[in-house]
Amino acid sequence: MAADQARPGDDVTLTFGGTATTLLRIGPFTLLTDPNFLHRGQWAHLGHGLRSRRLTDPALVPAQLPALDAVLLSHMHGDHWDRVATRSLPKETPVVTTPEAAGCLGKRGFTATADLRPWQTHELTQGTDTLRITSVPGVHGPGPLARLLPQVMGSVLELVRGGVAGPEVTWRGYISGDTLYRPFLGEVLQRCGPLDVLIPHLGGTKVAGITVTMDAQQGADLVELLRPPVTVPVHYDDYGLFKSPLGDFVAEVAARRAPGEVRTVGRGQTISLRA
């Protein structure tokens, strides 16, 4: 495995809620990512008059959530943080996100945001255990389109367990956020180390005919670049703007004989994020 040998209590699981919404249980920590609770037929507002209709129902809703240690928000778009999240999540919930999104949430009454710039870290602690969150830069739109889209970040999550011999990383995962593939994402390995899992945001989202999230080919490029033992794709078929089906990504990775295993997960299902 990429990180040091796992120990009892090191279980890491993902429950998929649809879009990029997941419930992550990482050792003693519980995180919610990119909360999108809109139902099928409702519109997500993406700014500058752009909107998209949801095609599916969420498998996670606020009333079903356990106590959260934090919410991890890749960027402020209506399919990643919607009006239901604003209304339903407790305002004191810690939210780890970009400076731009933290400012937006502050105006909505959220009081515990942590704004991270590229490669900055934020830590959650329980006893001798730490969850270290490192912000990874992303590119949501190419060229001039980047000025119209919100700041976006990926995140490297590391479970650090204390012990007699000192702290050790027992699991490491990378959530890409809504970024396009860029070779500089290889810095994830240089700065943080080998991964146990990659969770890419896919879908090949198109705005005015321009791709603004990874499609099947770019997703496979990222798998080849980072060489994770496990890849769990999300963000691929919940909205009409998504143009690259999940099956195309699975087929592309298989055709390239890329390293590791692709694990697909249905809405409401829970899977292990261990190799």
Side-chain angles (χ1 to χ4, degrees):
M1 60 182 297
D4 296 334
Q5 185 64 35
R7 304 190 314 229
D10 282 346
D11 289 346
V12 184
T13 63
L14 177 151
T15 302
F16 185 41
T19 318
T21 305
T22 69
L23 187 67
L24 299 176
R25 298 183 186 271
I26 304 172
F29 302 95
T30 302
L31 266 63
L32 182 70
T33 68
D34 291 316
N36 183 205
F37 303 123
L38 296 177
H39 284 261
R40 181 173 56 188
Q42 293 183 306
W43 292 92
H45 298 281
L46 308 177
H48 303 286
L50 182 67
R51 62 179 188 161
S52 185
R53 188 191 297 270
R54 184 157 188 173
L55 306 177
T56 63
D57 283 318
L60 292 173
V61 296
Q64 299 172 328
L65 295 175
L68 299 173
D69 292 292
V71 173
L72 186 61
L73 175 61
S74 62
H75 66 301
M76 185 55 76
H77 251 164
D79 58 336
H80 291 257
W81 183 290
D82 58 31
R83 53 192 177 272
V84 182
T86 296
R87 182 174 65 247
S88 302
L89 294 177
K91 295 299 190 287
E92 67 276 11
T93 303
V95 183
V96 183
T97 188
T98 66
E100 181 180 69
C104 291
L105 291 174
K107 294 176 182 177
R108 299 178 188 184
F110 286 83
T111 59
T113 57
D115 57 326
L116 298 185
R117 288 162 178 77
W119 305 114
Q120 287 185 331
T121 63
H122 178 78
E123 293 186 347
L124 306 173
T125 302
Q126 291 193 29
T128 60
D129 299 329
T130 298
L131 183 65
R132 184 164 58 217
I133 303 169
T134 301
S135 172
V136 178
V139 177
H140 199 354
L145 190 59
R147 294 194 295 270
L148 300 178
L149 295 172
Q151 294 175 348
V152 64
M153 74 176 202
S155 301
V156 173
L157 308 178
E158 296 174 291
L159 179 59
V160 184
R161 309 301 300 267
V164 175
E168 59 179 346
V169 176
T170 62
W171 179 86
R172 181 182 294 117
Y174 168 47
I175 305 172
S176 73
D178 276 16
T179 184
L180 298 170
Y181 171 81
R182 292 293 186 268
F184 72 72
L185 295 176
E187 289 188 51
V188 165
L189 302 184
Q190 299 164 21
R191 291 174 178 264
C192 300
L195 299 173
D196 292 289
V197 67
L198 165 66
I199 304 174
H201 290 195
L202 301 175
T205 312
K206 287 186 179 294
V207 174
I210 300 173
T211 301
V212 297
T213 65
M214 289 183 287
D215 58 13
Q217 181 174 340
Q218 290 193 36
D221 289 341
L222 188 63
V223 172
E224 287 192 315
L225 180 70
L226 300 181
R227 305 180 66 84
V230 175
T231 298
V232 181
V234 298
H235 192 273
Y236 49 77
D237 68 353
D238 293 278
Y239 284 89
L241 292 176
F242 296 169
K243 301 300 182 182
S244 182
L246 175 62
D248 290 357
F249 169 73
V250 174
E252 182 71 20
V253 172
R256 299 188 192 191
R257 299 182 179 180
E261 169 193 5
V262 176
R263 294 180 187 167
T264 59
V265 55
R267 292 175 192 81
Q269 292 184 338
T270 299
I271 62 170
S272 172
L273 296 184
R274 289 287 187 188

